[in-house]
């Protein structure tokens, strides 16, 4: 019997390989060199960030229009061959891996900014436009797009992971930013969800269904996103604290007082040390908050004075104001480079990065328990976080050739995810599920996970769209 089962498995694999080969032949006939099969390109389109194993696709198609995306998806659907949408590949949980082979559909050449409606504060872009590209384009309009996940990710990828980042405490996440989408569904239809009206009660909210679906329900080819006016005044700086607990308590108080901070980020002392080395800063190596305030001249002054008082109550300070724009840029560049800075702490190690999010009132407790856990395990693991949202990351430096270290790290990540869920939080605030966090979804969502499975089954019955992601059973 086991031999028969092995024969059946082998047969299935052979069938799948021949279906994939047939689809690649069709795609090459249609797209020529834009359907690439070189090992280097395939590897680059598998998971490359952090510790998860690279599982490359069988081919990469570079699409240049919604119609081309639809053609590719139709060919793949007919052959039941997986399609893995690809933006810039900066996701962190194995999202772009191809565990069952298939076609990576690269949207980076769909990088046109199609319309800017300055009077309505929105714009329509193709999915491959990156956030930095959009902001450079908008610079002279007085508008900006605030969602900022550190990496220069594509807007399609950011919508697909429901990304956020440093500005989310003030401006929201991709769930708030996206007004409408053009999507190619798993059977190759082109649909438009949402619209440009500020609000609508017309039917199911398909836009929000696709936002955060990580390419498992369809391919986003265009997005209409909200823009914001560039603030009249910006001020900010850094504030040291004696320990992470007091820093988190100051954050909780700031948010509960309704101070509209634009950014409030925690770096623990290890992360500050790494940033000092990597970004040539000279901060005191103690838990530190990086802050930014947006508004009128009077508004930012008032916000910063209120924050300084709160910081003092929790033993923080002195506040260092970065008044010059260059100094602010240097600080925020250092914050954005925190991941790469972390690597300098042990260059031969890999970084296993994980993120959780809890209600703001539980932030200090969750961060402090996590810091104690790190100390107990003896990990080299900086903590850094978008703490105004109750969201923080831990970057554990791991020797992947040491199975015991890997096992201990995985156990730590699991404890952290379950700790956050037990505090009414989530196993991922912004990085998404991909392959890495699938095992926690039943605990977080209970029977609602079955409803997600039913949606996936209804929209993608042959499990063609990015299989092996989000849903444990896919
Ligand atoms: C140093 C560093 C810092 C980071 N910091 C943050 C942070 O602060 N906040 C945060 O939210 N994230 C952060 N990230 C994670 C990452 O930048 C985000 O997940 C980002 O949204 C991914 O966008 P991408 O274009 O790289 O997508 P990819 O990695 O290419 O794809 C991500 C997922 O979306 C799907 N996808 C991509 N494009 C489409 C599309 N057009 N249609 C449908 N599905 C699609 C893919 O199949 C995959 O499942 C960080 C990453 C790095 C490397």
């Amino acid at each position: 019997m086991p031999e028969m089962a092995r024969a059946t498995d082998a047969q299935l694999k052979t069938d799948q390989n021949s279906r994939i080969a047939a689809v690649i032949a069709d795609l090459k006939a249609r797209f020529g060199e834009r359907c690439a099969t070189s090992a280097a390109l395939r590897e680059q389109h598998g998971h490359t960030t952090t510790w998860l194993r690279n599982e490359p696709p069988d081919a990469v198609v570079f699409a240049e229009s919604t119609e081309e995306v639809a053609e590719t998806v139709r060919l793949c659907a007919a052959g039941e061959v997986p399609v893995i949408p690809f933006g810039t590949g900066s996701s962190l949980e194995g999202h772009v891996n191809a565990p069952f082979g298939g076609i990576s559909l690269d949207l980076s050449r769909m990088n046109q900014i199609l319309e800017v409606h300055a009077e309505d504060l929105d714009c329509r872009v193709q999915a491959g436009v990156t956030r930095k590209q959009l902001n450079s384009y908008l610079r002279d309009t007085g508008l900006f797009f605030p969602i900022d996940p550190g990496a220069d990710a594509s807007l399609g990828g950011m919508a697909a992971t429901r990304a956020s980042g440093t500005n989310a405490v003030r401006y929201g996440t991709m769930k708030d930013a996206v007004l409408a989408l053009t999507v190619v569904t798993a059977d190759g239809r082109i649909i438009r969800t949402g619209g440009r009206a500020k609000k609508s009660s017309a039917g199911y909210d398909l836009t929000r269904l696709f936002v955060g679906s990580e390419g498992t329900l369809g391919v986003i080819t265009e997005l209409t996103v909200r823009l914001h006016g560039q603030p009249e005044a910006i001020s900010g700086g850094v504030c040291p604290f004696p320990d992470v607990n007091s820093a988190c308590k100051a954050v909780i108080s700031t948010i509960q007082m309704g101070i509209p901070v634009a950014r409030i980020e925690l770096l623990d002392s290890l992360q500050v040390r790494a940033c000092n080395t990597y970004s040539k800063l000279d901060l005191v190596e103690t838990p530190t908050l990086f802050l930014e305030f947006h508004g009128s001249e009077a508004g930012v002054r008032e916000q910063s004075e209120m924050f300084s008082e709160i910081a003092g109550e929790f033993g923080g300070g002195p506040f260092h104001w970065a008044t010059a724009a260059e100094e602010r840029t240097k600080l925020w560049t250092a914050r954005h480079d925190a991941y790469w800075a972390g690597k300098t702490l042990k260059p031969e190690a890999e970084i296993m990065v994980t993120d959780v999010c809890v209600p703001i009132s539980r932030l200090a407790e969750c961060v402090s328990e996590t810091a104690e856990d790190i100390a107990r395990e003896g990990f080299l693991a900086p903590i850094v976080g978008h703490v105004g949202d109750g969201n923080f990351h831990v970057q554990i430096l791991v020797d992947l050739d040491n199975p015991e270290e890997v096992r201990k790290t995985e156990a730590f990540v699991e404890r952290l995810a379950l700790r956050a869920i037990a505090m009414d939080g989530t196993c991922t605030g912004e990085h998404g599920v991909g392959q890495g966090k699938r095992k926690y979804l039943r605990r977080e969502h209970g029977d609602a996970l079955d409803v997600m499975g039913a949606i996936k089954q209804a929209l993608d019955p042959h499990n063609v769209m990015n299989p092996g992601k989000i849903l444990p059973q896919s």
Side-chain angles (χ1 to χ4, degrees), residues 49-50 83-92 94-96 105 107 127-128 147-166 174 210 213-216 218-221 223 335-340 386 391 393 429-432 434 465-466 469:
T49 331
T50 79
V83 180
I84 303 108
F86 186 95
T88 68
S90 69
S91 48
L92 295 164
H95 294 73
V96 291
L105 186 46
L107 289 111
I147 319 286
D148 161 23
D152 190 20
S154 71
L155 266 70
M158 288 169 61
T161 56
R162 208 185 289 121
S164 46
T166 57
M174 284 304 275
F210 283 102
S213 64
E214 299 186 5
T216 63
V219 187
I220 298 165
T221 60
L223 308 88
R335 165 61 191 92
H336 282 136
D337 287 341
Y339 174 86
W340 310 111
H386 314 305
N391 180 205
H393 309 182
E430 56 179 23
H431 291 168
M465 293 305 313
N466 206 3
K469 315 295 163 58

Side-chain angles (χ1 to χ4, degrees), residues 164-165 167-170 173 255 264 357-360 386-391:
S164 46
N167 282 317
V169 62
R170 169 80 178 254
T173 76
I255 299 299
I264 184 162
C357 188
V358 292
I360 194 74
H386 314 305
V387 278
D389 289 325
N391 180 205

